[in-house]
Short mmCIF file of all heavy atoms in Angstrom, two decimals:
data_model
loop_
_atom_site.label_atom_id
_atom_site.label_comp_id
_atom_site.label_asym_id
_atom_site.label_seq_id
_atom_site.Cartn_x
_atom_site.Cartn_y
_atom_site.Cartn_z
N MET A 499 10.53 -13.28 -34.01
CA MET A 499 11.46 -12.49 -33.24
C MET A 499 12.91 -12.57 -33.89
O MET A 499 13.29 -13.64 -34.29
CB MET A 499 11.60 -12.97 -31.76
CG MET A 499 10.32 -12.68 -31.05
SD MET A 499 10.52 -11.58 -29.67
CE MET A 499 11.37 -12.50 -28.50
N GLY A 500 13.55 -11.50 -34.00
CA GLY A 500 14.90 -11.45 -34.61
C GLY A 500 15.94 -11.95 -33.55
O GLY A 500 15.60 -12.24 -32.50
N PRO A 501 17.06 -11.94 -34.01
CA PRO A 501 18.19 -12.35 -33.11
C PRO A 501 18.45 -11.29 -32.08
O PRO A 501 18.52 -10.14 -32.40
CB PRO A 501 19.42 -12.44 -34.10
CG PRO A 501 19.01 -11.81 -35.28
CD PRO A 501 17.54 -11.63 -35.37
N LEU A 502 18.42 -11.78 -30.82
CA LEU A 502 18.56 -10.92 -29.64
C LEU A 502 19.60 -11.50 -28.72
O LEU A 502 19.79 -12.66 -28.75
CB LEU A 502 17.29 -10.71 -28.90
CG LEU A 502 16.20 -9.92 -29.72
CD1 LEU A 502 14.90 -9.99 -28.88
CD2 LEU A 502 16.55 -8.44 -29.78
N PRO A 503 20.26 -10.69 -28.02
CA PRO A 503 21.17 -11.14 -26.95
C PRO A 503 20.50 -12.05 -26.03
O PRO A 503 19.34 -11.84 -25.64
CB PRO A 503 21.74 -9.87 -26.26
CG PRO A 503 21.43 -8.75 -27.17
CD PRO A 503 20.23 -9.19 -27.97
N LYS A 504 21.18 -13.13 -25.49
CA LYS A 504 20.49 -14.13 -24.69
C LYS A 504 20.16 -13.43 -23.28
O LYS A 504 19.09 -13.83 -22.72
CB LYS A 504 21.38 -15.29 -24.48
CG LYS A 504 20.74 -16.59 -24.07
CD LYS A 504 21.63 -17.76 -24.25
CE LYS A 504 20.86 -19.05 -24.37
NZ LYS A 504 21.71 -20.19 -24.76
N ARG A 505 21.04 -12.66 -22.84
CA ARG A 505 20.81 -12.12 -21.50
C ARG A 505 21.36 -10.69 -21.39
O ARG A 505 22.21 -10.31 -22.29
CB ARG A 505 21.39 -12.95 -20.38
CG ARG A 505 22.92 -13.15 -20.51
CD ARG A 505 23.44 -14.14 -19.39
NE ARG A 505 23.22 -15.56 -19.98
CZ ARG A 505 22.37 -16.38 -19.39
NH1 ARG A 505 21.68 -16.06 -18.31
NH2 ARG A 505 22.33 -17.60 -19.84
N LYS A 506 20.86 -9.89 -20.47
CA LYS A 506 21.28 -8.51 -20.29
C LYS A 506 22.75 -8.54 -19.88
O LYS A 506 23.21 -9.32 -19.03
CB LYS A 506 20.46 -7.94 -19.18
CG LYS A 506 20.88 -6.49 -18.82
CD LYS A 506 19.80 -5.99 -17.85
CE LYS A 506 20.25 -4.57 -17.40
NZ LYS A 506 19.06 -3.84 -16.76
N VAL A 507 23.51 -7.59 -20.40
CA VAL A 507 24.88 -7.36 -20.06
C VAL A 507 24.86 -6.55 -18.74
O VAL A 507 24.35 -5.45 -18.72
CB VAL A 507 25.71 -6.67 -21.13
CG1 VAL A 507 27.19 -6.35 -20.75
CG2 VAL A 507 25.75 -7.48 -22.44
N SER A 508 25.51 -7.08 -17.71
CA SER A 508 25.51 -6.42 -16.43
C SER A 508 26.23 -5.10 -16.49
O SER A 508 27.08 -4.89 -17.41
CB SER A 508 26.09 -7.29 -15.43
OG SER A 508 27.41 -7.36 -15.56
N ARG A 509 25.93 -4.22 -15.54
CA ARG A 509 26.54 -2.84 -15.45
C ARG A 509 28.15 -3.03 -15.45
O ARG A 509 28.89 -2.40 -16.12
CB ARG A 509 26.09 -2.14 -14.28
CG ARG A 509 25.11 -1.02 -14.62
CD ARG A 509 24.81 -0.21 -13.43
NE ARG A 509 24.04 -0.99 -12.45
CZ ARG A 509 23.57 -0.50 -11.28
NH1 ARG A 509 23.80 0.74 -10.96
NH2 ARG A 509 22.95 -1.28 -10.49
N SER A 510 28.59 -3.99 -14.56
CA SER A 510 30.03 -4.13 -14.36
C SER A 510 30.69 -4.71 -15.70
O SER A 510 31.77 -4.27 -16.10
CB SER A 510 30.28 -5.05 -13.24
OG SER A 510 29.88 -6.39 -13.46
N ARG A 511 30.01 -5.65 -16.35
CA ARG A 511 30.59 -6.24 -17.52
C ARG A 511 30.54 -5.13 -18.65
O ARG A 511 31.53 -5.05 -19.42
CB ARG A 511 29.74 -7.38 -17.94
CG ARG A 511 30.41 -8.20 -19.18
CD ARG A 511 29.78 -9.33 -19.55
NE ARG A 511 30.53 -9.89 -20.68
CZ ARG A 511 30.96 -11.19 -20.79
NH1 ARG A 511 30.58 -12.04 -19.87
NH2 ARG A 511 31.61 -11.66 -21.76
N ARG A 512 29.49 -4.34 -18.76
CA ARG A 512 29.46 -3.35 -19.78
C ARG A 512 30.55 -2.29 -19.53
O ARG A 512 31.27 -1.85 -20.47
CB ARG A 512 28.10 -2.65 -19.68
CG ARG A 512 27.84 -1.45 -20.69
CD ARG A 512 26.77 -0.57 -20.27
NE ARG A 512 27.06 0.08 -18.99
CZ ARG A 512 26.17 0.69 -18.19
NH1 ARG A 512 24.91 0.67 -18.45
NH2 ARG A 512 26.56 1.20 -17.07
N ASN A 513 30.68 -1.96 -18.23
CA ASN A 513 31.76 -0.91 -17.90
C ASN A 513 33.17 -1.49 -18.10
O ASN A 513 34.05 -0.76 -18.54
CB ASN A 513 31.53 -0.50 -16.43
CG ASN A 513 30.30 0.32 -16.29
OD1 ASN A 513 29.69 0.82 -17.26
ND2 ASN A 513 29.89 0.48 -15.05
N ARG A 514 33.33 -2.81 -17.81
CA ARG A 514 34.67 -3.38 -18.12
C ARG A 514 34.89 -3.39 -19.60
O ARG A 514 36.04 -3.06 -20.03
CB ARG A 514 34.60 -4.87 -17.71
CG ARG A 514 35.41 -5.06 -16.37
CD ARG A 514 35.54 -6.58 -15.96
NE ARG A 514 34.20 -7.12 -15.59
CZ ARG A 514 33.75 -8.30 -15.96
NH1 ARG A 514 34.51 -9.14 -16.65
NH2 ARG A 514 32.59 -8.70 -15.58
N ARG A 515 33.92 -3.60 -20.41
CA ARG A 515 34.16 -3.60 -21.86
C ARG A 515 34.50 -2.17 -22.32
O ARG A 515 35.39 -2.02 -23.21
CB ARG A 515 32.87 -4.01 -22.56
CG ARG A 515 33.02 -4.11 -24.07
CD ARG A 515 31.69 -4.58 -24.74
NE ARG A 515 30.61 -3.59 -24.58
CZ ARG A 515 29.38 -3.85 -24.09
NH1 ARG A 515 29.04 -5.10 -23.83
NH2 ARG A 515 28.50 -2.93 -23.99
N ARG A 516 33.98 -1.17 -21.63
CA ARG A 516 34.16 0.20 -22.13
C ARG A 516 35.38 0.81 -21.45
O ARG A 516 35.78 1.97 -21.67
CB ARG A 516 32.97 1.06 -21.79
CG ARG A 516 31.75 0.68 -22.60
CD ARG A 516 30.57 1.39 -22.21
NE ARG A 516 29.39 1.01 -23.06
CZ ARG A 516 28.17 1.53 -22.74
NH1 ARG A 516 27.90 2.46 -21.89
NH2 ARG A 516 27.12 1.02 -23.48
N ALA A 517 36.10 0.05 -20.53
CA ALA A 517 37.11 0.60 -19.76
C ALA A 517 38.28 1.12 -20.67
O ALA A 517 39.00 2.10 -20.30
CB ALA A 517 37.69 -0.48 -18.84
N HIS A 518 38.50 0.48 -21.82
CA HIS A 518 39.56 0.91 -22.68
C HIS A 518 39.16 1.83 -23.82
O HIS A 518 40.00 2.27 -24.58
CB HIS A 518 40.19 -0.38 -23.28
CG HIS A 518 40.64 -1.40 -22.27
ND1 HIS A 518 41.77 -1.27 -21.54
CD2 HIS A 518 40.01 -2.50 -21.93
CE1 HIS A 518 41.86 -2.30 -20.67
NE2 HIS A 518 40.86 -3.10 -20.89
N ASP A 519 37.88 2.22 -23.82
CA ASP A 519 37.39 2.94 -24.96
C ASP A 519 38.07 4.37 -25.14
O ASP A 519 38.20 4.89 -26.19
CB ASP A 519 35.89 3.16 -24.80
CG ASP A 519 35.08 1.92 -25.13
OD1 ASP A 519 35.81 0.88 -25.43
OD2 ASP A 519 33.91 1.93 -25.15
N SER A 520 38.33 4.95 -24.01
CA SER A 520 38.94 6.21 -24.00
C SER A 520 40.43 6.30 -24.18
O SER A 520 41.03 7.37 -24.26
CB SER A 520 38.63 6.98 -22.65
OG SER A 520 39.24 6.35 -21.59
N LEU A 521 41.10 5.11 -24.32
CA LEU A 521 42.51 5.12 -24.42
C LEU A 521 42.94 5.74 -25.76
O LEU A 521 44.00 6.35 -25.81
CB LEU A 521 43.04 3.73 -24.28
CG LEU A 521 42.97 3.07 -22.90
CD1 LEU A 521 43.50 1.64 -22.87
CD2 LEU A 521 43.77 3.90 -21.89
N THR A 522 42.27 5.54 -26.76
CA THR A 522 42.57 6.17 -28.09
C THR A 522 41.51 7.13 -28.43
O THR A 522 40.36 6.91 -28.18
CB THR A 522 42.76 5.15 -29.14
OG1 THR A 522 41.61 4.36 -29.25
CG2 THR A 522 43.93 4.34 -28.88
N LEU A 523 41.91 8.25 -29.03
CA LEU A 523 40.84 9.23 -29.40
C LEU A 523 40.34 8.86 -30.81
O LEU A 523 41.02 9.06 -31.83
CB LEU A 523 41.53 10.60 -29.50
CG LEU A 523 40.64 11.80 -29.64
CD1 LEU A 523 39.59 11.82 -28.48
CD2 LEU A 523 41.38 13.10 -29.64
N ASN A 524 39.17 8.29 -30.79
CA ASN A 524 38.51 7.93 -32.12
C ASN A 524 37.55 9.02 -32.41
O ASN A 524 37.59 10.11 -31.85
CB ASN A 524 37.88 6.45 -32.06
CG ASN A 524 37.31 6.20 -30.65
OD1 ASN A 524 37.01 7.08 -29.90
ND2 ASN A 524 37.00 5.02 -30.39
N HIS A 525 36.59 8.68 -33.32
CA HIS A 525 35.62 9.74 -33.86
C HIS A 525 36.31 10.88 -34.50
O HIS A 525 35.75 12.00 -34.54
CB HIS A 525 34.76 10.18 -32.67
CG HIS A 525 34.19 9.16 -31.77
ND1 HIS A 525 33.53 8.03 -32.28
CD2 HIS A 525 34.42 8.94 -30.45
CE1 HIS A 525 33.25 7.19 -31.23
NE2 HIS A 525 33.82 7.73 -30.11
N LEU A 526 37.43 10.65 -34.97
CA LEU A 526 38.19 11.70 -35.69
C LEU A 526 37.99 11.56 -37.22
O LEU A 526 38.17 10.46 -37.70
CB LEU A 526 39.62 11.82 -35.35
CG LEU A 526 39.98 12.45 -33.99
CD1 LEU A 526 41.56 12.36 -33.80
CD2 LEU A 526 39.53 13.92 -33.88
N ILE A 527 37.70 12.65 -37.92
CA ILE A 527 37.55 12.57 -39.36
C ILE A 527 38.34 13.74 -39.82
O ILE A 527 38.70 14.73 -39.20
CB ILE A 527 36.12 12.61 -39.90
CG1 ILE A 527 35.45 13.92 -39.49
CG2 ILE A 527 35.31 11.34 -39.38
CD1 ILE A 527 34.27 14.27 -40.27
N VAL A 528 38.71 13.66 -41.20
CA VAL A 528 39.43 14.71 -41.84
C VAL A 528 38.48 15.79 -42.26
O VAL A 528 37.50 15.42 -42.96
CB VAL A 528 40.31 14.18 -43.03
CG1 VAL A 528 40.98 15.29 -43.70
CG2 VAL A 528 41.34 13.15 -42.46
N CYS A 529 38.79 17.05 -41.93
CA CYS A 529 37.87 18.16 -42.32
C CYS A 529 37.95 18.33 -43.80
O CYS A 529 38.94 18.33 -44.37
CB CYS A 529 38.25 19.38 -41.59
SG CYS A 529 37.34 20.83 -42.00
N GLU A 530 36.67 18.54 -44.45
CA GLU A 530 36.68 18.87 -45.92
C GLU A 530 37.15 20.28 -46.16
O GLU A 530 37.42 20.67 -47.21
CB GLU A 530 35.27 18.59 -46.40
CG GLU A 530 34.90 17.15 -46.44
CD GLU A 530 33.49 16.92 -46.95
OE1 GLU A 530 33.12 17.56 -47.96
OE2 GLU A 530 32.75 16.17 -46.37
N GLY A 531 37.03 21.15 -45.11
CA GLY A 531 37.31 22.55 -45.29
C GLY A 531 38.80 22.80 -45.24
O GLY A 531 39.32 23.54 -46.10
N CYS A 532 39.48 22.31 -44.22
CA CYS A 532 40.86 22.62 -44.04
C CYS A 532 41.80 21.41 -43.93
O CYS A 532 43.07 21.61 -43.86
CB CYS A 532 41.02 23.44 -42.79
SG CYS A 532 40.69 22.56 -41.20
N GLY A 533 41.23 20.23 -44.03
CA GLY A 533 42.09 18.99 -44.09
C GLY A 533 42.69 18.54 -42.79
O GLY A 533 43.36 17.61 -42.65
N GLU A 534 42.27 19.30 -41.70
CA GLU A 534 42.70 18.94 -40.32
C GLU A 534 41.81 17.92 -39.71
O GLU A 534 40.65 17.76 -40.28
CB GLU A 534 42.73 20.19 -39.41
CG GLU A 534 43.72 21.26 -39.85
CD GLU A 534 45.16 21.01 -39.28
OE1 GLU A 534 45.25 20.11 -38.55
OE2 GLU A 534 46.04 21.74 -39.63
N TYR A 535 42.14 17.19 -38.71
CA TYR A 535 41.32 16.28 -38.01
C TYR A 535 40.38 16.97 -37.10
O TYR A 535 40.80 18.00 -36.48
CB TYR A 535 42.15 15.27 -37.26
CG TYR A 535 42.76 14.18 -38.10
CD1 TYR A 535 44.17 14.27 -38.47
CD2 TYR A 535 41.98 13.17 -38.54
CE1 TYR A 535 44.73 13.31 -39.28
CE2 TYR A 535 42.54 12.13 -39.32
CZ TYR A 535 43.92 12.23 -39.69
OH TYR A 535 44.47 11.28 -40.47
N HIS A 536 39.23 16.58 -37.08
CA HIS A 536 38.31 17.06 -36.05
C HIS A 536 37.28 16.11 -35.75
O HIS A 536 37.12 15.03 -36.40
CB HIS A 536 37.60 18.46 -36.56
CG HIS A 536 36.61 18.32 -37.68
ND1 HIS A 536 35.26 18.05 -37.36
CD2 HIS A 536 36.79 18.28 -38.99
CE1 HIS A 536 34.67 17.95 -38.52
NE2 HIS A 536 35.52 18.04 -39.55
N LEU A 537 36.42 16.25 -34.59
CA LEU A 537 35.49 15.35 -34.23
C LEU A 537 34.38 15.12 -35.27
O LEU A 537 33.88 16.12 -35.80
CB LEU A 537 34.90 15.68 -32.89
CG LEU A 537 35.85 15.67 -31.69
CD1 LEU A 537 35.19 16.16 -30.47
CD2 LEU A 537 36.19 14.15 -31.34
N ALA A 538 34.03 13.83 -35.47
CA ALA A 538 32.90 13.57 -36.37
C ALA A 538 31.62 14.15 -35.78
O ALA A 538 31.46 14.16 -34.57
CB ALA A 538 32.73 12.08 -36.54
N HIS A 539 30.66 14.56 -36.58
CA HIS A 539 29.41 15.14 -36.15
C HIS A 539 29.58 16.44 -35.45
O HIS A 539 28.64 16.87 -34.65
CB HIS A 539 28.61 14.19 -35.28
CG HIS A 539 28.44 12.75 -35.92
ND1 HIS A 539 28.93 11.68 -35.33
CD2 HIS A 539 28.06 12.39 -37.11
CE1 HIS A 539 28.70 10.63 -36.15
NE2 HIS A 539 28.19 11.06 -37.20
N HIS A 540 30.72 17.04 -35.54
CA HIS A 540 30.99 18.38 -34.92
C HIS A 540 31.50 19.36 -35.93
O HIS A 540 32.14 18.95 -36.89
CB HIS A 540 31.98 18.27 -33.75
CG HIS A 540 31.51 17.65 -32.55
ND1 HIS A 540 31.12 18.32 -31.38
CD2 HIS A 540 31.33 16.33 -32.30
CE1 HIS A 540 30.77 17.45 -30.61
NE2 HIS A 540 30.74 16.26 -31.03
N VAL A 541 31.18 20.64 -35.82
CA VAL A 541 31.65 21.62 -36.66
C VAL A 541 33.13 21.83 -36.51
O VAL A 541 33.61 21.78 -35.29
CB VAL A 541 30.90 23.05 -36.46
CG1 VAL A 541 31.64 24.17 -37.27
CG2 VAL A 541 29.47 22.88 -36.78
N CYS A 542 33.91 21.97 -37.53
CA CYS A 542 35.37 22.15 -37.28
C CYS A 542 35.66 23.39 -36.68
O CYS A 542 35.14 24.53 -37.03
CB CYS A 542 36.08 22.11 -38.77
SG CYS A 542 37.82 22.42 -38.64
N ALA A 543 36.50 23.41 -35.68
CA ALA A 543 36.79 24.60 -34.84
C ALA A 543 37.68 25.58 -35.63
O ALA A 543 37.78 26.71 -35.33
CB ALA A 543 37.43 24.19 -33.51
N LYS A 544 38.51 25.00 -36.56
CA LYS A 544 39.47 25.73 -37.28
C LYS A 544 38.92 26.60 -38.37
O LYS A 544 39.23 27.71 -38.61
CB LYS A 544 40.59 24.82 -37.74
CG LYS A 544 41.37 24.09 -36.64
CD LYS A 544 42.76 23.81 -37.07
CE LYS A 544 43.49 23.03 -35.92
NZ LYS A 544 43.07 21.59 -35.84
N CYS A 545 38.02 25.95 -39.23
CA CYS A 545 37.46 26.67 -40.39
C CYS A 545 35.96 26.86 -40.27
O CYS A 545 35.42 27.45 -41.21
CB CYS A 545 37.89 25.87 -41.66
SG CYS A 545 37.28 24.34 -41.90
N GLY A 546 35.28 26.28 -39.36
CA GLY A 546 33.90 26.53 -39.12
C GLY A 546 33.08 25.84 -40.13
O GLY A 546 31.92 26.23 -40.35
N THR A 547 33.46 24.69 -40.75
CA THR A 547 32.65 23.98 -41.75
C THR A 547 32.21 22.65 -41.14
O THR A 547 32.83 22.10 -40.23
CB THR A 547 33.40 23.74 -43.05
OG1 THR A 547 34.45 22.80 -42.79
CG2 THR A 547 33.94 25.03 -43.64
N TYR A 548 31.15 22.14 -41.66
CA TYR A 548 30.58 20.93 -41.24
C TYR A 548 30.21 20.21 -42.57
O TYR A 548 29.41 20.68 -43.25
CB TYR A 548 29.34 20.99 -40.36
CG TYR A 548 28.81 19.71 -39.93
CD1 TYR A 548 29.57 18.77 -39.15
CD2 TYR A 548 27.57 19.20 -40.43
CE1 TYR A 548 29.11 17.52 -38.77
CE2 TYR A 548 27.12 17.98 -40.08
CZ TYR A 548 27.82 17.15 -39.30
OH TYR A 548 27.38 15.91 -38.88
N ARG A 549 30.93 19.21 -42.87
CA ARG A 549 30.72 18.27 -44.06
C ARG A 549 30.83 19.22 -45.30
O ARG A 549 30.00 19.08 -46.17
CB ARG A 549 29.36 17.55 -44.00
CG ARG A 549 29.30 16.60 -42.85
CD ARG A 549 27.96 15.81 -42.90
NE ARG A 549 27.92 14.93 -43.96
CZ ARG A 549 26.89 14.12 -44.26
NH1 ARG A 549 25.81 14.10 -43.43
NH2 ARG A 549 26.81 13.34 -45.30
N GLY A 550 31.85 20.04 -45.30
CA GLY A 550 32.09 20.91 -46.50
C GLY A 550 31.36 22.16 -46.63
O GLY A 550 31.60 22.90 -47.48
N GLU A 551 30.35 22.39 -45.74
CA GLU A 551 29.62 23.66 -45.79
C GLU A 551 30.03 24.55 -44.58
O GLU A 551 30.14 24.09 -43.49
CB GLU A 551 28.13 23.39 -45.75
CG GLU A 551 27.50 22.73 -46.93
CD GLU A 551 26.03 22.71 -46.90
OE1 GLU A 551 25.34 23.77 -46.77
OE2 GLU A 551 25.50 21.59 -46.89
N THR A 552 30.19 25.84 -44.90
CA THR A 552 30.55 26.78 -43.85
C THR A 552 29.25 26.98 -42.97
O THR A 552 28.23 27.38 -43.48
CB THR A 552 30.92 28.14 -44.47
OG1 THR A 552 32.14 27.87 -45.24
CG2 THR A 552 31.35 29.19 -43.33
N VAL A 553 29.46 26.77 -41.71
CA VAL A 553 28.34 26.89 -40.74
C VAL A 553 28.67 28.08 -39.85
O VAL A 553 27.69 28.93 -39.45
CB VAL A 553 28.16 25.66 -39.85
CG1 VAL A 553 26.97 25.73 -38.90
CG2 VAL A 553 28.05 24.39 -40.79
N VAL A 554 29.85 28.26 -39.37
CA VAL A 554 30.18 29.36 -38.53
C VAL A 554 31.39 30.05 -39.08
O VAL A 554 32.30 29.39 -39.64
CB VAL A 554 30.61 28.88 -37.05
CG1 VAL A 554 30.83 29.94 -36.20
CG2 VAL A 554 29.56 27.78 -36.56
N GLU A 555 31.40 31.36 -39.09
CA GLU A 555 32.43 32.13 -39.64
C GLU A 555 33.62 32.18 -38.46
O GLU A 555 33.30 32.54 -37.30
CB GLU A 555 32.11 33.59 -39.98
CG GLU A 555 31.11 33.64 -41.15
CD GLU A 555 31.69 33.11 -42.45
OE1 GLU A 555 33.02 33.13 -42.57
OE2 GLU A 555 30.90 32.68 -43.34
N VAL A 556 34.72 31.72 -38.78
CA VAL A 556 35.84 31.65 -37.77
C VAL A 556 36.69 32.82 -37.95
O VAL A 556 37.18 33.15 -39.07
CB VAL A 556 36.69 30.42 -37.86
CG1 VAL A 556 37.79 30.43 -36.93
CG2 VAL A 556 35.81 29.16 -37.69
N GLU A 557 36.87 33.57 -36.87
CA GLU A 557 37.66 34.87 -36.94
C GLU A 557 39.16 34.45 -36.83
O GLU A 557 39.56 33.69 -36.00
CB GLU A 557 37.32 35.87 -35.82
CG GLU A 557 35.94 36.39 -36.02
CD GLU A 557 35.50 37.21 -34.74
OE1 GLU A 557 36.33 37.90 -34.18
OE2 GLU A 557 34.38 37.01 -34.32
N GLU A 558 40.00 35.04 -37.63
CA GLU A 558 41.46 34.87 -37.51
C GLU A 558 41.99 35.58 -36.29
O GLU A 558 41.68 36.74 -36.11
CB GLU A 558 42.11 35.38 -38.75
CG GLU A 558 41.75 34.63 -40.03
CD GLU A 558 42.27 33.27 -40.17
OE1 GLU A 558 43.42 33.02 -39.69
OE2 GLU A 558 41.53 32.38 -40.65
N ALA A 559 42.76 34.89 -35.54
CA ALA A 559 43.33 35.55 -34.25
C ALA A 559 44.32 36.56 -34.49
O ALA A 559 45.10 36.53 -35.49
CB ALA A 559 43.81 34.40 -33.47
ZN1 ZN B 1124 38.35 22.60 -40.91
#
């Protein structure tokens, strides 16, 4: 058996640990298409590319 946690983390302890997770907006990466920040694993809303490839054509407003 590999290394495993000794005991289950309780719901309250897990939630306490995650209490501060939303304080900073992480999961942001720099877009390869336009250089703006956008969410990782998401298509860029500004230029419609994902990892450098155009996925959606974005209409200019
Ligand atoms: Zn972009």
Side-chain angles (χ1 to χ4, degrees):
M499 292 245 285
L502 288 170
K504 201 165 203 171
R505 60 186 84 248
K506 177 176 178 163
V507 176
S508 70
R509 256 185 293 182
S510 66
R511 187 176 182 134
R512 180 199 64 198
N513 291 343
R514 255 186 289 142
R515 183 180 65 227
R516 295 178 184 174
H518 306 282
D519 286 3
S520 64
L521 289 178
T522 56
L523 191 56
N524 38 15
H525 316 301
L526 282 177
I527 61 161
V528 176
C529 177
E530 290 179 44
C532 64
E534 296 275 352
Y535 283 100
H536 70 89
L537 288 173
H539 311 122
H540 287 256
V541 174
C542 176
K544 299 208 179 79
C545 64
T547 66
Y548 179 68
R549 298 183 66 179
E551 284 187 65
T552 301
V553 181
V554 186
E555 296 296 336
V556 178
E557 294 171 39
E558 298 288 323

